[in-house]
Amino acid sequence: MHAISRRTLLTGTAGTAALAAFPSLAQAKTLTALGHRVHQTCATTGPGGDATEAWRQQSGAGINWVTFGDNNAIHERLLREVTLGETSIDVGYLLNGRAVPRNLRLFEPLDGLMKEAALESPEDFAPGLIAPLKLDGALHGIPVRHATNALIYNEALLEERGVKLPATFEELIEAARKLTFKRDDGTQVYGLAFTAVFASNFLTLARCLGGDYMTPDGKLVAAEPGMVKALTTLAELYKAGVLPRSFATVNNEEITSWMQQGRAAMTINPFARLVTYNDASKGKYGGRFKSLLPPMASDLIGKVSFAPTVEYWSLAIPKNAKQKPLSWDLIRALSSKAGTKAMALNGNGPTRVSTYADPALIAAMPYAADEAAALKASRIHLPAFDEQARAHDIFIEETQAAVLGIKPAQQAMDDAVKRVKPLLG
């Protein structure tokens, strides 16, 4: 894999055209960007080169990165800053779960800036990432990093147990049962394991049955047959020991360890986890992990399309920021085709579908075609509304009650609907 030429990284995408549109840009010296540490790393370091270098040379401006290692800390700081009379934060990274109407109103509508300096090929962004960033018809952010869920499996364990790759949801459940066993040394292997604190993980399976918690337009459908059947199935798997006893508390680090050690055969996680799982230095199964979009139920194949769950970060400009044209210019550079490719080679989840067709990315990500198809069809776990976070927690609480056998699935989802409905205003 070859590094991208830093001299040509942003040619024709940002910089010169924007500087002509905004003559004052050259006078500005520093932008402050607030986000996660990984955002800075992916933008500046790795095989793809520094995605900001050409922009900094052309604009004469620098970037002051203010980063945290915790998502809550990022949003606590960012959402506090945007409520002040003025802020020193020029560009902020906003996670889709926080991109709700109440918060989006605190960020600059981008339509006017886009008229002055156009965004390169806006149709190239995955549709499911753009719609949630619109408020009253105006766009308030540009998606720059995503994590889309897949079913990740250990093909060595499938071979060992004589299990074929599932083509239907029913075959997937049967495969999970067959992949649950105890080794001669007493080691328990679970057919399926995933963290139970994210709605997106449950929805990855529920959508195979046409189930969901809510529709994109905000209709509550959690108590309808698809979701109830999914949770009933998971409850049966938990009772049978296919899911781990510690299902409610197991975290992603433990899941990673179990996958690498061959203690779990399948998991629900973003495609990007394949890189970690396939690290040969971490276990004897390096190179044997593959991804699969969970298959639809047999009676829905060809009738309903699977919608993978996705989480993503966007770049937004606080309404009370002082250097909006320059901030927009940086966003254009980072979200351009060249910027997206550079960051993708540095480990970022590219939000442009076309990036996945680049030979350099295909060489670095053998699963690129699968992730591109998933991203194109992806949809967030819950629609954006002000009480989304509380609703998410309620859904998780009731879902876990169903899977652990504390409540029948139908009752749990009836209760979830009853509790979430008042939050919709």
Side-chain angles (χ1 to χ4, degrees):
M1 181 172 63
H2 299 286
I4 300 171
S5 167
R6 296 188 179 193
R7 292 180 180 273
T8 60
L9 184 60
L10 299 178
T11 301
T13 60
T16 305
L19 288 172
F22 300 120
S24 62
L25 295 191
Q27 300 171 10
K29 293 301 179 187
T30 304
L31 283 182
T32 296
L34 174 65
H36 197 284
R37 293 188 189 110
V38 75
H39 296 143
Q40 180 183 5
T41 301
C42 288
T44 61
T45 307
D50 185 344
T52 72
E53 184 175 42
W55 175 83
R56 288 186 287 105
Q57 291 175 351
Q58 291 165 342
S59 67
I63 303 173
N64 171 38
W65 291 92
V66 177
T67 63
F68 297 88
D70 177 76
N71 292 348
N72 289 329
I74 294 166
H75 291 101
E76 182 182 340
R77 172 72 182 276
L78 179 60
L79 295 175
R80 182 173 70 247
E81 288 282 342
V82 295
T83 61
L84 302 175
E86 190 177 90
T87 179
S88 61
I89 304 301
D90 297 292
V91 176
Y93 283 82
L94 188 66
L95 195 58
N96 65 276
R98 304 299 185 100
V100 298
R102 177 176 57 214
N103 293 339
L104 285 181
R105 290 188 179 91
L106 300 172
F107 293 91
E108 186 72 12
L110 301 177
D111 301 60
L113 291 165
M114 291 175 72
K115 286 180 181 178
E116 295 290 337
L119 184 69
E120 181 183 10
S121 302
E123 73 285 350
D124 191 22
F125 291 97
L129 309 187
I130 293 294
L133 296 171
K134 289 188 174 181
L135 183 64
D136 300 328
L139 188 64
H140 288 255
I142 303 297
V144 289
R145 176 184 174 87
H146 81 91
T148 300
N149 268 358
L151 183 77
I152 298 178
Y153 63 93
N154 184 334
E155 63 178 356
L157 291 185
L158 267 69
E159 292 171 3
E160 179 183 337
R161 302 293 291 175
V163 176
K164 68 176 183 177
L165 212 56
T168 66
F169 180 77
E170 292 81 4
E171 289 181 2
L172 171 60
I173 299 305
E174 185 58 28
R177 292 182 182 276
K178 290 179 179 178
L179 290 165
T180 301
F181 64 102
K182 188 169 286 189
R183 295 194 178 279
D184 293 339
D185 63 2
T187 300
Q188 178 65 51
V189 179
Y190 299 105
L192 179 64
F194 59 90
T195 54
V197 296
F198 301 115
S200 57
N201 290 343
F202 292 104
L203 292 177
T204 296
L205 295 175
R207 288 177 181 177
C208 296
L209 295 166
D212 222 321
Y213 289 128
M214 296 177 68
T215 62
D217 61 358
K219 180 185 176 185
L220 285 164
V221 293
E224 295 185 7
M227 192 74 214
V228 172
K229 184 176 180 180
L231 295 185
T232 300
T233 301
L234 285 173
E236 292 169 353
L237 293 182
Y238 179 75
K239 188 175 182 180
V242 176
L243 296 173
R245 293 292 95 190
S246 57
F247 175 72
T249 58
V250 65
N251 59 42
N252 257 330
E253 287 69 29
E254 291 173 293
I255 296 293
T256 296
S257 177
W258 289 359
M259 292 294 285
Q260 291 171 330
Q261 295 169 10
R263 293 177 57 200
M266 298 188 293
T267 187
I268 297 167
N269 251 306
F271 282 91
R273 290 275 173 174
L274 281 165
V275 176
T276 303
Y277 294 167
N278 278 317
D279 185 345
S281 69
K282 303 295 185 182
K284 65 178 182 179
Y285 296 104
R288 301 306 306 275
F289 292 97
K290 301 290 176 63
S291 60
L292 174 74
L293 275 188
M296 296 294 292
S298 56
D299 62 339
L300 294 179
I301 292 176
K303 300 176 183 177
V304 179
S305 297
F306 180 71
T309 55
V310 63
E311 298 284 331
Y312 66 99
W313 291 88
S314 301
L315 283 171
I317 302 172
K319 268 189 176 179
N320 56 349
K322 295 175 287 188
Q323 306 182 80
K324 294 175 185 177
L326 186 64
S327 299
W328 173 240
D329 196 44
L330 174 61
I331 291 174
R332 290 178 66 243
L334 289 174
S335 65
S336 68
K337 289 184 177 181
T340 300
K341 173 184 174 180
M343 292 192 296
L345 292 175
N346 292 343
N348 198 56
T351 52
R352 288 180 176 272
V353 177
S354 68
T355 308
Y356 287 95
D358 188 276
L361 198 71
I362 293 172
M365 295 167 49
Y367 53 88
D370 291 339
E371 186 170 354
L375 175 64
K376 196 170 184 179
S378 67
R379 179 156 48 85
I380 57 177
H381 60 299
L382 295 176
F385 60 100
D386 287 338
E387 298 297 335
Q388 184 201 72
R390 288 180 61 193
H392 176 277
D393 292 344
I394 290 170
F395 282 128
I396 289 299
E397 182 182 325
E398 297 292 349
T399 293
Q400 289 191 11
V403 176
L404 298 178
I406 298 170
K407 293 181 181 182
Q410 185 68 63
Q411 181 189 336
M413 289 300 96
D414 285 341
D415 290 347
V417 168
K418 194 177 300 182
R419 294 173 64 190
V420 171
K421 195 171 184 179
L423 303 180
L424 298 179

